[in-house]
Amino acid sequence: MDIVNSDSYANTAIGQVFTPLKWALWAIEKGPYKDWLAGGVILDPTGGSGVFLEAFISKAQSEGRRITNEMLQRLFMVEIDAKLCNDAIVRLKTQYEIEIPESNIVNDDFFNVQLPIRATSIVGNPPWINFTELPRAYKDFIKPFFIHFGLVPDLRKVLWGGSRVDLAAAVLAKCVQDHCSESASILFYLPLSLFMNDGAHHALRELAFAHAAFGIEEIHDLTHIK
């Protein structure tokens, strides 16, 4: 797969929708938190300022649990924005007196990353932006991934910049193919259109990713929540 460099967008807000801590807590309570306590490996592929990692720490401390170095070594996040990575490190240290291993907070574009782990739970809130809305140069970087994961049945659309597939769909596809252990679970905040609307996300709903498949267990419609 031919890939162009994405470094010029390392500090650009591409589809950022930040998650309040209370909703990160709500998400991890659906299963990832218990998985972590039982020895599972956690990954947030588009970590922002680290709110999902914070949720694990916050909940464990609120329950009076001793958080060991071994537990911290099983928390991973990837974030393209170096400032947000630093914000996560500083907030966990100052508010919770916790230091996650620096190698576990990866400052890079998720599509550049191959991690030395397979996660048992993946959580997060991938960028909410479709291909047509991306900066032109970033489209050149991301096109091969849309094609590689089979998200665009009409290659002409993506090659000409006309695909309306969400970037979140590509993040989900990469997680399934490259970062999940066997029987892993994924809990994401996603645009409902990925699952409900006709057209752009048909390939995603066919679950036709290269070399991997997954099934949908639940959809929580939160459109009524402010």
Side-chain angles (χ1 to χ4, degrees), residues 14-15 129-139 142 146 167:
I14 297 179
I129 187 170
N130 70 47
F131 185 85
T132 60
E133 298 167 334
L134 292 170
R136 179 171 295 179
Y138 193 76
K139 288 180 182 178
I142 208 71
F146 279 72
L167 185 59

Side-chain angles (χ1 to χ4, degrees), residues 8 25 27 32 43-44 63 71 83 94-95 104-105 108 121 123 130 149 167 173 175 177-178 180 193 200 212:
S8 59
L25 286 164
L43 170 64
D44 181 350
E63 294 176 349
M71 293 169 71
K83 181 182 182 301
T94 57
Q95 293 187 22
N104 287 25
I105 298 181
D108 203 345
S121 290
V123 296
N130 70 47
F149 294 126
L167 185 59
C175 286
Q177 179 165 314
D178 295 342
C180 281
S193 61

Side-chain angles (χ1 to χ4, degrees), residues 130-133 146 151-152 157-158 160-166 200:
N130 70 47
F131 185 85
T132 60
E133 298 167 334
F146 279 72
L151 295 173
V152 282
K157 287 185 178 180
V158 71
W160 294 342
S163 173
R164 296 195 63 80
V165 177
D166 278 275

Side-chain angles (χ1 to χ4, degrees), residues 10-54:
N11 294 301
T12 301
I14 297 179
Q16 288 180 346
V17 179
F18 291 102
T19 311
L21 177 59
K22 72 173 184 177
W23 287 106
L25 286 164
W26 181 87
I28 70 167
E29 289 168 358
K30 296 297 180 184
Y33 179 68
K34 288 183 179 179
D35 177 40
W36 180 55
L37 294 182
V41 176
I42 310 300
L43 170 64
D44 181 350
T46 53
S49 59
V51 69
F52 283 90
L53 268 58
E54 179 183 357

Side-chain angles (χ1 to χ4, degrees), residues 1-4 111-112 114 141-149 174 177-178:
M1 180 167 53
D2 295 328
I3 300 175
V4 300
F111 292 96
N112 281 333
Q114 290 297 331
F141 165 72
I142 208 71
K143 274 179 199 174
F145 296 98
F146 279 72
I147 296 168
H148 176 68
F149 294 126
K174 187 176 190 300
Q177 179 165 314
D178 295 342

Side-chain angles (χ1 to χ4, degrees), residues 9 26 32-33 47 90 100 114 118 121 174 177 189 194 198 211-212 220 223-224:
Y9 293 95
W26 181 87
Y33 179 68
V90 170
I100 292 176
Q114 290 297 331
R118 289 275 177 164
S121 290
K174 187 176 190 300
Q177 179 165 314
Y189 286 103
L194 267 67
D198 294 332
H211 315 302
H220 298 268
T223 54
H224 62 291

